[in-house]
């Protein structure tokens, strides 16, 4: 059986190193793990319970929820914006947390990784992402920690998929995420 992992990237920038990291994860995933990188987080309106009704759910939110519903697990890529989680990633978690107690994240293994310009690689943002996703019902895989510092220089000329150390760390993270899937 192939495990389906939905990757959500918290950076919308065309040259995003976190997007590149997600691409590297997809390229180097084990043969029995399929990673889908969700495109469209930038299309999501800010979460508003007034428009989250059966009659009015925005198309972008429906697309996200359907993709999340089909996933066995989640891999969240969290850069650090001003010391915390990017709004676009937090907004996606908010949409996936509903309906309360039965959102698409509920009970599914979820790992958080990322890269950032700073010397700690986005640790604060990743911790906040774990916290938010966990409160939303995700089964956080705490043993997966991958914070790659100095993204602007480290990946200036090398794609993460071509960095042996990064590939090894991503492979380990994916193995740990896979080990948390129900048998």
């Amino acid at each position: 059986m192939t495990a389906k992992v939905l990757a959500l990237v918290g950076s919308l920038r065309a040259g995003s190193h976190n997007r590149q990291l997600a691409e590297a994860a997809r390229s180097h995933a084990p043969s029995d793990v399929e990673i889908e990188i969700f495109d469209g987080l930038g299309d999501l309106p800010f979460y508003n319970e007034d428009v989250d009704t059966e009659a009015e759910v925005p198309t972008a939110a429906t697309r996200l929820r359907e993709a999340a519903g089909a996933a066995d697990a989640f891999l969240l890529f969290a850069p650090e914006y001003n010391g915390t989680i990017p709004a676009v990633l937090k907004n996606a978690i908010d949409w996936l947390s509903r309906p309360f107690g039965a959102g698409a994240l509920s009970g599914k293994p979820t790992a958080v990784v990322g890269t950032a310009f700073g010397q700690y690689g986005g640790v604060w943002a990743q911790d906040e992402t774990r916290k938010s996703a966990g409160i939303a019902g995700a089964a956080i895989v705490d043993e997966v920690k991958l914070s790659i510092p100095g993204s602007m220089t480290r990946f200036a000329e090398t794609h993460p998929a071509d960095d042996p150390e990064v590939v090894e760390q991503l492979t380990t993270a994916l193995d740990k995420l896979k080990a948390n899937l129900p048998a």
Side-chain angles (χ1 to χ4, degrees):
M1 177 181 120
T2 299
K4 293 183 180 188
V5 176
L6 186 64
L8 302 179
V9 179
S11 173
L12 302 178
R13 187 172 63 85
S16 165
H17 295 119
N18 278 279
R19 172 66 186 222
Q20 291 175 4
L21 195 60
E23 292 166 355
R26 182 176 59 198
S27 297
H28 294 285
S31 60
D32 57 348
V33 174
E34 174 189 323
I35 297 178
E36 175 191 349
I37 302 171
F38 185 82
D39 287 314
L41 291 187
D43 299 330
L44 280 172
F46 283 112
Y47 184 79
N48 178 346
E49 200 169 359
D50 291 341
V51 298
D52 190 11
T53 65
E54 285 185 38
E56 286 193 57
V57 178
T59 303
T62 299
R63 272 189 59 242
L64 175 62
R65 286 177 173 166
E66 286 172 353
D72 299 309
F74 296 92
L75 188 55
L76 309 181
F77 292 82
E80 192 166 274
Y81 290 2
N82 298 312
T84 193
I85 182 175
V88 68
L89 187 55
K90 174 63 170 72
N91 189 44
I93 292 168
D94 290 346
W95 277 104
L96 293 174
S97 72
R98 305 296 179 149
F100 182 74
L105 285 170
S106 216
K108 292 185 180 179
T110 302
V112 180
V113 299
T115 185
F117 178 67
Q119 66 181 341
Y120 301 112
V123 172
W124 291 344
Q126 292 167 33
D127 287 346
E128 290 295 315
T129 302
R130 283 183 197 90
K131 175 183 164 187
S132 182
I135 290 169
I140 301 299
V141 182
D142 284 320
E143 59 269 21
V144 174
K145 305 263 177 158
L146 176 55
S147 304
I148 303 167
S151 62
M152 298 299 281
T153 52
R154 182 165 190 164
F155 302 126
E157 295 181 21
T158 303
H159 191 285
D162 299 324
D163 182 319
E165 181 183 2
V166 169
V167 169
E168 180 181 343
Q169 292 172 332
L170 278 173
T171 302
T172 300
L174 288 169
D175 286 342
K176 289 177 181 178
L177 179 60
K178 189 175 102 174
N180 281 273
L181 289 168

